[in-house]
Amino acid sequence: MSPTLSDSLDLLSQPTHRELLRGCLHGIEKESLRISADGALARTPHPLGLGSALTHPTITTDYSEALLELITPVSADIDGLFDSLDRIHRFTYAQLGDERLWTESMPCLLPAADVDIPIAWYGTSNIGMLKHVYRRGLAVRYGKAMQCIAGIHYNFSLPPQLWAALAQRSGDHRPPQDYQSERYVALIRNFRRYAWLLMYLFGASPAVCASFLQGRDHKLERLGERSLYLPYATSLRMSDLGYNNNAQSGLNVCYNSLDNYIASMREATGIPYAPYAALGTHDADGQWQQLNTNLLQIENEFYSPIRPKRVTRSGEKPVHALASRGVEYIEVRCMDIDPYSPMGIEPETARFLDCFLLYCALEDSPAHDPQSCAELADNFALSVKRGREPGLQLSDAGQPRSLQDWGLDLLDKIAACAGLLDETRQTSAYSKSLARQRDKLHNAALTPSAQVLADIERHGNSFFRFALAQSEAHRKHFIERPLDSDSLRAFRTQADASLAEQTAIEAADEIDFDTFVERYLSQQG
């Protein structure tokens, strides 16, 4: 172990500091497409019973009107976190009628024409229209199909008191928020170094419907009549077939300091991009079709496996919040939906993520240079497309190293973090989660991606039939466990309140939309 990791673990092993780990906070955002009983994309409006997608705190939409996003309250306890996610699912299913939630990251049966994929609608307020027009921009820039990919976002933070203790131990006298922000950025650098391991362990999208890539060049192999795959892929969602695009391929976002990251985002959102400029901000009918013609409309358009985050105020740009108040937590964005878990992610996975992220936070994190940035990107790309390939070699500081050996070595190092979390919580669940991942490195058949391919084969080599069967099973799991009357009443009250809040926001607007967009985009990071 590095001195930094050893010293930090020694400090946090002390009883007074170990208790600080109980203050780690978690949140889950789970995306799922609404589908009809026959597996086609739902074209119905956001169900009224779910409340307002603009203002509801736990149930909203992402890109498409059919792409639900279920958001847990922040929790310090993993069991409480998953209890919240379970209850949100049970309420949601009760409002869906005959519709289901698609259980895969890669889309269901999409309409043949992009125009038939509905973009999320948030009402007529300025902030609602901003969210809608931003999504129109994604449609004209990348097409609608790519925006229908779904995933799990895992939010994680260490308590400020823990960062303060680490700062004191290291003799760092910077303002607490500055120290905390830079340590989160260091966590991100380590995460990017080792994210290939998460793709191997949890990637669950090795195959897609052929319709998803209709008209696009690809190098996938045919599987059955209507499916495509790569035999050793772990997560096509995170490959260049999913959340990637040519426009952003040359974007060099720096994570060597928060100031560097903010500068990179400000540059990307301020660089004119000729193909987007040719489209213009308005269509032939004079309607808004993108917020601006820059490389990124806003920083949220940047596709990244992880982001530094700060809770924003209404109408505030994320980069402005970071510049003003620093990093509050990180958002892991590379996790596929687990098609075998009704909630899309298991508590065991969350516990391993805590171990992994704690390791990334405490381990020494050298600055990136162009060579190391290219290396980590190549390792990630190899893992998502060829992760289960026997003997696959990655590059560790320029030296070839097998994914299996490197992964097992990392788990050995992460084990100390798992032990510390076990001791803090008086459990063995964290070490058990680590052991399960070690088994996957010894036997690739145990990985979700391998299991998915085996089950697709059992469904006649049809990705669609496998996914539809899982979707039906998960619907039954929730429908057969309705909420009690008091809980149902509380959810309905929350939904009604969100609708009233949207109405109030729409009534309170005092400026026209053009002026609102101008003021929003003019915020300085």
Side-chain angles (χ1 to χ4, degrees):
M1 294 185 293
S2 73
T4 299
L5 181 62
S6 299
D7 290 348
S8 298
L9 288 172
D10 179 62
L11 174 68
L12 297 180
S13 295
Q14 299 171 15
T16 55
H17 291 126
R18 187 174 64 239
E19 285 302 302
L20 293 176
L21 285 170
R22 289 184 174 271
C24 292
L25 297 178
H26 319 79
I28 292 174
E29 303 164 23
K30 186 247 190 174
E31 301 164 342
S32 295
L33 286 168
R34 287 187 292 114
I35 60 169
S36 62
D38 61 358
L41 182 76
R43 303 192 202 181
T44 52
H46 184 66
L48 189 63
L50 295 178
S52 166
L54 178 68
T55 57
H56 198 291
T58 60
I59 304 172
T60 183
T61 52
D62 198 326
Y63 171 77
S64 172
E65 185 77 347
L67 185 55
L68 281 181
E69 184 171 4
L70 308 182
I71 306 168
T72 67
V74 174
S75 177
D77 176 66
I78 293 291
D79 291 335
L81 178 73
F82 279 85
D83 178 66
S84 293
L85 188 58
D86 175 70
R87 291 162 63 82
I88 296 168
H89 273 86
R90 288 155 70 190
F91 175 71
T92 298
Y93 272 93
Q95 311 306 311
L96 292 184
D98 195 40
E99 292 179 350
R100 289 103 168 99
L101 296 183
W102 188 246
T103 63
E104 299 286 326
S105 282
M106 301 309 287
C108 60
L109 186 61
L110 297 176
D114 255 15
V115 68
D116 292 325
I117 298 175
I119 296 175
W121 176 250
Y122 301 96
T124 58
S125 67
N126 283 330
I127 189 64
M129 286 302 300
L130 183 93
K131 290 166 70 72
H132 179 72
V133 171
Y134 164 63
R135 286 157 175 78
R136 287 186 189 173
L138 297 178
V140 299
R141 292 172 176 220
Y142 314 114
K144 292 183 175 181
M146 191 176 84
Q147 310 306 318
C148 291
I149 296 171
I152 295 285
H153 298 169
Y154 190 75
N155 301 319
F156 176 82
S157 69
L158 294 165
Q161 299 92 328
L162 188 149
W163 290 123
L166 291 172
Q168 183 177 17
R169 173 68 172 258
S170 63
D172 193 303
H173 302 296
R174 284 178 290 179
Q177 186 59 65
D178 291 349
Y179 177 83
Q180 175 177 311
S181 292
E182 293 309 319
R183 288 299 298 265
Y184 274 124
V185 174
L187 183 163
I188 289 172
R189 287 197 301 274
N190 275 336
F191 181 94
R192 295 181 72 224
R193 287 185 176 99
Y194 307 129
W196 53 263
L197 178 61
L198 297 182
M199 296 296 90
Y200 174 86
L201 296 174
F202 302 109
S205 56
V208 300
C209 277
S211 61
F212 175 71
L213 292 171
Q214 185 173 312
R216 292 174 60 185
D217 292 332
H218 65 82
K219 296 182 180 179
L220 302 188
E221 298 179 22
R222 185 161 293 280
L223 183 64
E225 295 182 1
R226 298 182 180 179
S227 302
L228 299 169
Y229 84 122
L230 287 176
Y232 298 114
T234 62
S235 177
L236 295 179
R237 165 180 171 261
M238 294 306 298
S239 75
D240 53 5
L241 297 174
Y243 281 121
N244 209 327
N245 58 83
N246 291 332
Q248 294 187 28
S249 61
L251 191 57
N252 184 25
V253 176
C254 182
Y255 293 91
N256 284 335
S257 72
L258 179 59
D259 287 344
N260 287 155
Y261 173 78
I262 290 171
S264 298
M265 285 292 97
R266 289 185 64 189
E267 181 181 8
T269 55
I271 297 174
Y273 188 63
Y276 302 157
L279 294 170
T281 55
H282 293 67
D283 62 21
D285 296 324
Q287 300 297 312
W288 280 89
Q289 64 175 352
Q290 54 181 341
L291 293 174
N292 55 47
T293 60
N294 296 332
L295 181 59
L296 303 179
Q297 298 173 89
I298 57 177
E299 56 268 30
N300 283 354
E301 190 174 333
F302 175 58
Y303 299 119
S304 175
I306 186 170
R307 284 179 182 165
K309 298 280 283 190
R310 157 71 60 175
V311 173
T312 58
R313 296 160 182 158
S314 180
E316 182 182 34
K317 293 174 67 177
V319 74
H320 182 270
L322 288 173
S324 300
R325 303 184 297 282
V327 183
E328 186 176 10
Y329 63 99
I330 55 93
E331 178 187 46
V332 174
R333 300 171 54 81
C334 61
M335 300 296 289
D336 284 350
I337 293 174
D338 180 350
Y340 299 104
S341 172
M343 289 185 284
I345 181 174
E346 287 292 301
E348 181 179 84
T349 302
R351 289 191 173 93
F352 178 78
L353 285 173
D354 281 5
C355 301
F356 182 84
L357 293 168
L358 183 61
Y359 172 77
C360 289
L362 301 181
E363 176 63 290
D364 187 36
S365 182
H368 289 325
D369 57 33
Q371 182 176 351
S372 61
C373 277
E375 183 178 69
L376 64 87
D378 289 344
N379 287 340
F380 190 85
L382 284 169
S383 184
V384 299
K385 283 192 170 184
R386 297 167 50 196
R388 287 178 290 104
E389 181 181 300
L392 178 67
Q393 299 287 305
L394 304 181
S395 178
D396 182 8
Q399 298 300 311
R401 192 171 186 186
S402 79
L403 182 150
Q404 182 189 46
D405 290 346
W406 195 358
L408 289 170
D409 182 57
L410 275 174
L411 292 187
D412 287 342
K413 295 176 179 177
I414 295 170
C417 295
L420 183 59
L421 290 170
D422 277 340
E423 192 173 359
T424 301
R425 295 286 183 177
Q426 294 297 292
T427 182
S428 60
Y430 293 91
S431 292
K432 286 180 179 177
S433 73
L434 202 72
R436 284 287 297 273
Q437 310 321 313
R438 188 174 281 110
D439 290 343
K440 293 178 188 177
L441 282 162
H442 285 301
N443 183 1
L446 299 176
T447 61
S449 55
Q451 292 178 336
V452 165
L453 287 180
D455 279 333
I456 288 174
E457 183 179 10
R458 282 189 279 271
H459 283 80
N461 281 333
S462 171
F463 165 81
F464 177 79
R465 286 202 290 271
F466 161 69
L468 188 59
Q470 292 299 108
S471 300
E472 186 61 37
H474 292 175
R475 176 179 183 268
K476 183 178 180 181
H477 171 82
F478 291 112
I479 287 293
E480 292 182 348
R481 298 165 51 246
L483 291 170
D484 63 86
S485 57
D486 288 344
S487 296
L488 185 60
R489 189 180 304 111
F491 270 104
R492 285 174 173 165
T493 298
Q494 189 178 47
D496 291 343
S498 71
L499 292 168
E501 184 179 356
Q502 177 181 325
T503 299
I505 291 172
E506 290 171 350
D509 279 341
E510 296 180 344
I511 59 174
D512 62 85
F513 182 63
D514 290 11
T515 302
F516 182 83
V517 172
E518 181 182 0
R519 290 182 181 178
Y520 179 85
L521 296 178
S522 67
Q523 295 177 61
Q524 296 298 307

